[in-house]
Amino acid sequence: MELTVLGQSQTTAPAAGGCASSGCGSNDDQLNHLPEHIRAKVHNHPCYSEEAHHHYARMHVAVAPACNIQCHYCNRKYDCSNESRPGVVSELLTPDQAVKKVMTVAANIPQMTVLGIAGPGDPLANPERTFDTFRQLTEKAPDIKLCVSTNGLALPELVDELCKHNIDHVTMTINCVDPDIGAQIYPWIFWKNRRVYGRKGAEILIKQQQKGLQMLVDRGILVKVNSVMIPGVNDKHLEEVSKAVKAKGAFLHNVMPLIAEAEHGTFYGVMGQRGPTHDELQELQDACSGDMNMMRHCRQCRADAVGMLGEDRGDEFTMDKIEAVDVDYAAAMVKRAEVHAAIEATLAAKAKAKVETQNLASLQTAFVSLSSLTLPKKESRPVLMAIATSGGGIINQHFGHAREFLIYEANAHDVRFISHRKTDLYCSGDETCGDGESVLQKTINALKGCEVVLCSKIGYEPWGMLEEAGIIPNGEHAMEAIEDAVAAVYKEMGEKGLLDKKPETKQRATA
Amino acid sequence: MALQIVDGCVNCWACEPLCPSQAIYAAIPHFLIDAKKCTECDGDYADKQCASICPIEEAIVDSQGEALNPPGSLTGIPPERWEQVRAEIQAR
């Protein structure tokens, strides 16, 4: 097998390339209550299991360009050299090319467990291309799980065909269960050879989505529901959506922020529809989490993303680079099985260590909790902190190098992962953006709501600007475990009396 | 009698599989309709299929050059109301 053409020597990608946190909301506890057959379906799926996304990778192939509905947050001109955002794709593939690409990536990134078809259009509006790809992969690469994302319009008629393939999961985008709200999101759908506009179209779409969801659940397929949070349109409504899809048996709800920059050319972008602020998104996710498993580690990846969540190695696997590669898939499968076994062994060891630590902790608290004596008062308020890290669950990145910050919340009881915030995912951040805002200012805006930023090092200029914005820069916990450092800083803040009331924020209210 | 795809087409592929006459083909810089094959869906469908799924206003025109999806028809907002709607959306 000759793979050096791809310019990467390792056959094992970094163990935690994408998300850097050890915690990352990854509580295995989230999965512990599930029946064994369901855990078996999600344990190595990075989009379904928060734990899995530290270890396993996914890829998308863009074989499905056509769409049967119009969403106001989508622009069907789906490529631009200057952007990298959800739904957008650089290279449209034929099913044969896609199969080639999947097998090459699977041989090179053995951690890749899941192949998804997620557009750029609707995969089920392109049934020939989607199912041709699935059919070939089911036969040629039986160790790869297949996954599909859909708006659900064509789902009911295709559910049975879908279930013939190596599929455990389906992602449906459901933004509403009320056609009046739907009419504000979907101007039209294409249904039974006609365009159907407004409320009537939305009503058909919603019915098909709910019917399709039910059919998938009845067949034992796990369903993740994606919802785009659109302020002033469906933000108040999504709690109801969450309840409705949970009642139907959806497995996971992923509320994602609307991305609507004017330069993306979407209807919402052009019309100046704003996206939610970090606070609004978090508040809604928290509100929905009472009823539903919530996904918080979603990176809204591109329709041709390759690698761990949070990274995109698509450039290494463009068709011109892989066309000449000859993949010995039988050999690759052996290698892949070894790598997967090693990951499972690591996870098992980690789980065992965790149980032991918990047992020890409960033993200690049974006597006297020394730590509780020094912790801040119980009524002290929670604090958000941003972490610059390049992986491994430790604070190990220079502030200026961070392209993503992990956001943690500390309160009197615990430290929990909240989300990640990209500083440059949707925009290159340079002068081409045209709004005159510096990269640094954008980063600081992205950290709105955080009171502390923890990093390995930080320069003089950003230090001053962060302080000016009311965020305390802190480089004293370099190379320490994130959760421990966050807890320590929170404790220090308590001792300094900083937790009694929220400091006046000087930050601008930009989303 | 034939429809035509003009500038503005974003090559989204939505129309191609729907054409009952296989008159639509991928080309550079945008998809084209073979005028000899196009029947405007007469005898097959009440609505012209390519124009009924096309997401881009004015990208498909009839033999007179008239847009089948004129400005405002796909956003659902007539051009004269555009500014008003924009103000409403920005107030959200």
Side-chain angles (χ1 to χ4, degrees), chain A residues 78 193 195 270 273-274, chain B residues 11 13 49 51 54 86 92:
Chain A
Y78 40 77
N193 298 96
R195 205 192 301 264
V270 171
Q273 166 70 50
R274 71 179 181 94
Chain B
N11 299 312
W13 286 85
Q49 294 299 288
C54 179
R86 188 197 297 263
R92 283 171 184 166

Side-chain angles (χ1 to χ4, degrees), chain A residues 294-314:
Chain A
M294 295 298 291
M295 177 170 180
R296 292 179 193 261
H297 63 280
C298 176
R299 302 298 210 277
Q300 295 182 280
C301 43
R302 282 164 59 104
D304 58 0
V306 173
M308 311 291 281
L309 295 202
E311 73 174 4
D312 189 354
R313 296 174 59 183

Side-chain angles (χ1 to χ4, degrees), chain A residues 357-370:
Chain A
T357 315
Q358 276 169 349
N359 288 344
L360 191 66
S362 60
L363 205 63
Q364 284 171 339
T365 49
F367 295 100
V368 62
S369 174
L370 281 175

Side-chain angles (χ1 to χ4, degrees), chain A residues 65-67 70 72 76-78 92 184 187-188 190 193-195 197 231-233 267-268 270-274, chain B residues 10-14 18 45 47 49 51-56 69 73-77 82 85-86 89-90 92:
Chain A
C67 197
Q70 178 69 50
H72 273 326
R76 299 290 295 289
K77 185 177 174 184
Y78 40 77
L92 188 64
Q184 296 176 63
W188 54 267
F190 182 77
N193 298 96
R194 302 180 65 173
R195 205 192 301 264
Y197 298 88
V233 178
F267 173 81
Y268 279 152
V270 171
M271 296 300 262
Q273 166 70 50
R274 71 179 181 94
Chain B
V10 297
N11 299 312
C12 80
W13 286 85
L18 292 179
Y45 296 102
D47 295 352
Q49 294 299 288
S52 295
I53 201 167
C54 179
I56 307 296
N69 297 306
S73 62
L74 298 190
T75 57
I77 297 163
W82 191 263
V85 172
R86 188 197 297 263
I89 288 176
Q90 287 179 358
R92 283 171 184 166

Side-chain angles (χ1 to χ4, degrees), chain A residues 41 77 79 94 98 160 175 180 329 353 357 469:
Chain A
K41 284 183 181 184
K77 185 177 174 184
D79 204 358
T94 64
D160 289 321
N175 295 317
D180 287 318
Y329 201 75
T357 315

